[in-house]
Amino acid sequence: MRPVVRVAVAAALFLPVALASPPARADAPGPVIRDAAGDEHRLGMSELAALPAVRVTMPPGKGQTAPHLFEGPLLWTVLSHVGAVGGTPRELAGRAILLEGADQYRAVLAVGEIAPDFEGKQVILAERMDGTDIDPAHLRVVVPGDRRGARGVHDLTRISIVAVPDGTAR
Ligand SMILES: Nc1nc2c(c(=O)[nH]1)N[C@H]1C(S)=C(S)[C@@H](COP(=O)(O)O)O[C@H]1N2
Ligand SMILES: [Mo]
């Protein structure tokens, strides 16, 4: 092969690789959202970034001295965006939000904690921490007012709206 052809072939082979890596943040997948009917919506990072962001400051954790600033859309906005929180107030009152991490860690919120017609707590799906983008694989939920961090699920993979069973269910 003539050198000039060789260079052209090499460029044709490597250019797509160079353009493809690292994958653009906007193309990365976000968490899966499962609505009350069991339908799943895969949220993209660009979709998430397009939602209006809210700022939440959390007090320093154990062994930390400075508070943390988190930014991202309200969890309610995210759930509404994919149509996961429709229903009458009586239906919403009996539903929970199951947050799951890549390590199978689980925590729950009540829909009524974040629904604007109920408590309207400013729980966010954080995309940035202290001004720096959070890696799409490590997105976290921030729950203002919680004195412990256990409901702040990180490495968030799935958010499910679940109907709570009656008290006799086992
Ligand atoms: N995926 C996942 N999220 C999680 C946990 C976990 O084990 N896995 N631990 C929780 C607990 S108990 C705390 S105190 C905080 C700790 O978050 P940090 O490591 O950012 O301080 O994450 C919460 N979110
Ligand atoms: Mo914790």
Side-chain angles (χ1 to χ4, degrees):
M1 225 189 278
R2 284 167 47 209
V4 67
V5 174
R6 220 180 290 145
V7 169
V9 168
L13 286 175
F14 289 111
L15 191 62
V17 175
L19 291 176
S21 59
R25 179 179 176 82
D27 297 337
V32 169
I33 299 175
R34 192 179 166 93
D35 66 26
D39 291 328
E40 295 192 342
H41 313 260
R42 165 72 78 170
L43 202 69
M45 287 304 292
S46 56
E47 224 178 329
L48 207 58
L51 300 174
V54 167
R55 294 162 153 242
V56 169
T57 302
M58 294 294 280
K62 272 204 195 84
Q64 299 177 338
T65 50
H68 290 293
L69 170 69
F70 291 96
E71 296 165 89
L74 292 175
L75 183 55
W76 179 262
T77 303
V78 173
L79 295 173
S80 303
H81 176 72
V82 300
V85 278
T88 65
R90 294 168 62 93
E91 285 168 334
L92 294 184
R95 288 183 189 153
I97 304 169
L98 172 62
L99 307 167
E100 293 177 274
D103 55 355
Q104 323 299 317
Y105 183 80
R106 307 200 303 175
V108 290
L109 296 165
V111 168
E113 284 179 82
I114 66 163
D117 286 350
F118 290 91
E119 187 184 353
K121 190 155 56 187
Q122 305 283 284
V123 173
I124 66 169
L125 179 45
E127 302 168 276
R128 274 183 303 286
M129 177 179 170
D130 299 327
T132 303
D133 284 343
I134 297 174
D135 185 283
H138 303 301
L139 296 182
R140 68 161 63 214
V141 169
V142 175
V143 187
D146 274 10
R147 279 173 285 275
R148 299 195 67 102
R151 294 202 294 177
V153 177
H154 49 74
D155 306 347
L156 188 70
T157 53
R158 180 182 292 269
I159 307 170
S160 308
I161 304 299
V162 294
V164 175
D166 72 75
T168 65
R170 284 293 173 269

